[in-house]
Amino acid sequence: MNCKGVIREISNYIDGDLDPVVKQELERHLEHCEDCTMIVDQTRKSIKVLCDSRPVSLSAEVRARLHAALRRKIDHNAS
Amino acid sequence: MFGVIFARETGFGVMVGRALYPVSAPKPHALPSTVVRDDEPLLVDSARSGNTSAFEELVARYEDKIFRLTSNITGNREDAEDAMQDAFLKAYAHLKDFHGESRFYTWLVRIAANEALMRLRKRRPNHFSLDQPIEGDSDLMPRELEEWSPNPEQLYAKSEIDNIVSAFVSQLEDDYRIVLVLRDVEELSTQETANALGISLSAVKSRLLRARLKLREKLSRHFRQGALN
């Protein structure tokens, strides 16, 4: 496998979603290619940074509107 | 607070406290889930049997995350708020149809993603396609090839990193953004993402690959050694 092949499969590799033979080929390439090893590592870290990003809190007004709408729905269903 | 009401009314205070108990996302996702807590099935069962406070606790637990999802998909505050509200109302109305085939959060994400996509399509008719094949792979080869600082996250305050990531996500092409958000922010599996969007696995994978590579490029500009000098 060459560098282009690694880049094409990088996402599947990180997800553990590669055929064992392809995975072995990819890892054999990584053993001697510093650039690809770095890209795999940085891509994995990038996903983690994205995954760890915090949601913005809802404003009190939107939160109150949501809860009021839900309460109306619950009361309507109960009546 | 909904959480307080639920704890008082049901006596589940200890179990549904604010402590986080992350559980793993289903395979093939390789990253640990930061979204779902392990008392969720208990709350869902309680809500399904008519305990409205249990449903309200679920809303309180996920409202910020669902709002992030609808914001990330629509890119429009008003649409995001409407989509979030309608998603929770629909989830409540259809709670009896949820039989636990997936996690409740995944089910909720699917409903919210649909609500958000409907609004995005209304605003941008014929503007994006989620399942059209992506031609060629000349766009794949990385341009940024520099080592990152050993602890890049420590170069910035958490809020700064959140802003960098948020700006990146909002500028990404619609189809890449939607797939990336469902897969790597909401932690749906590749198959769940494909199901939620009604597209093929290969369509998800090709968009996810490009979105992840673009994310790395973007972060490289901030995280490479000496980036702050």
Side-chain angles (χ1 to χ4, degrees):
Chain A
M1 184 179 288
N2 57 19
C3 295
K4 206 168 183 177
V6 171
I7 300 302
R8 249 189 243 122
E9 296 297 346
I10 198 168
S11 200
N12 289 330
Y13 178 63
I14 288 171
D15 287 342
D17 196 16
L18 268 189
D19 175 89
V21 177
V22 180
K23 180 172 178 255
Q24 204 174 21
E25 276 179 38
L26 189 149
E27 286 177 342
R28 207 174 299 137
H29 177 93
L30 293 183
E31 280 169 19
H32 63 78
C33 182
E34 283 183 16
D35 280 353
C36 282
T37 303
M38 182 180 78
I39 292 167
V40 169
D41 184 47
Q42 290 176 351
T43 306
R44 194 178 270 131
K45 278 185 186 157
S46 299
I47 297 168
K48 184 162 181 348
V49 167
L50 174 65
C51 192
D52 289 347
S53 63
R54 283 179 299 219
V56 182
S57 279
L58 275 176
S59 70
E61 187 198 339
V62 177
R63 196 184 304 272
R65 208 161 52 221
L66 167 66
H67 293 193
L70 192 60
R71 179 48 61 192
R72 278 197 302 275
K73 181 103 179 166
I74 289 170
D75 290 345
H76 176 77
N77 283 12
S79 63
Chain B
M1 286 289 291
F2 285 152
V4 174
I5 296 167
F6 179 69
R8 192 175 61 236
E9 289 187 359
T10 64
F12 281 116
V14 175
M15 261 185 245
V16 298
R18 293 290 175 191
L20 280 169
Y21 300 101
V23 294
S24 293
K27 294 208 174 214
H29 205 299
L31 298 166
S33 170
T34 54
V35 176
V36 179
R37 303 182 209 172
D38 60 3
D39 63 345
E40 186 190 87
L42 206 70
L43 273 175
V44 174
D45 280 349
S46 186
R48 288 189 73 236
S49 60
N51 184 339
T52 56
S53 300
F55 186 75
E56 288 171 334
E57 166 62 19
L58 288 165
V59 173
R61 185 173 288 193
Y62 295 133
E63 58 195 357
D64 285 348
K65 292 189 180 76
I66 292 297
F67 182 61
R68 172 177 62 181
L69 169 69
T70 56
S71 299
N72 278 336
I73 292 180
T74 61
N76 175 287
R77 194 172 181 92
E78 196 184 317
D79 283 353
E81 290 174 6
D82 289 348
M84 174 198 61
Q85 181 166 312
D86 286 351
F88 279 117
L89 293 178
K90 274 198 177 150
Y92 182 73
H94 294 279
L95 205 50
K96 292 265 185 268
D97 301 329
F98 175 73
H99 299 296
E101 293 90 352
S102 66
R103 292 168 296 170
F104 173 78
Y105 183 69
T106 306
W107 182 70
L108 189 57
V109 163
R110 286 184 66 165
I111 295 172
N114 272 333
E115 289 295 322
L117 277 171
M118 246 164 39
R119 284 162 177 83
L120 181 64
R121 288 203 167 100
K122 209 176 275 179
R123 267 187 203 275
R124 303 184 200 176
N126 307 318
H127 189 75
F128 68 96
S129 166
L130 284 163
D131 52 4
Q132 225 162 39
I134 300 171
E135 302 291 339
D137 55 10
S138 56
D139 59 328
L140 288 180
M141 289 317 283
R143 280 169 300 199
E144 300 279 346
L145 282 175
E146 285 186 68
E147 293 277 354
W148 286 8
S149 296
N151 297 301
E153 296 95 329
Q154 289 170 13
L155 294 174
Y156 299 89
K158 180 78 177 81
S159 59
E160 286 179 297
I161 294 181
D162 288 345
N163 287 341
I164 292 167
V165 169
S166 168
F168 165 78
V169 169
S170 68
Q171 287 159 13
L172 205 56
E173 294 91 330
D174 288 336
D175 54 337
Y176 293 4
R177 187 180 71 247
I178 291 161
V179 168
L180 183 74
V181 161
L182 287 178
R183 182 72 180 86
D184 286 341
V185 179
E186 304 309 330
E187 302 180 65
L188 266 58
S189 69
T190 312
Q191 185 65 60
E192 286 169 341
T193 304
N195 292 346
L197 298 173
I199 61 177
S200 66
L201 267 182
S202 64
V204 170
K205 286 182 174 186
S206 60
R207 281 158 179 77
L208 185 63
L209 169 64
R210 283 163 175 80
R212 285 172 166 179
L213 289 173
K214 282 178 182 239
L215 174 64
R216 190 202 70 86
E217 295 273 336
K218 173 74 176 179
L219 292 182
S220 286
R221 283 168 226 152
H222 296 276
F223 288 172
R224 66 187 170 211
Q225 287 177 356
L228 292 181
N229 295 337

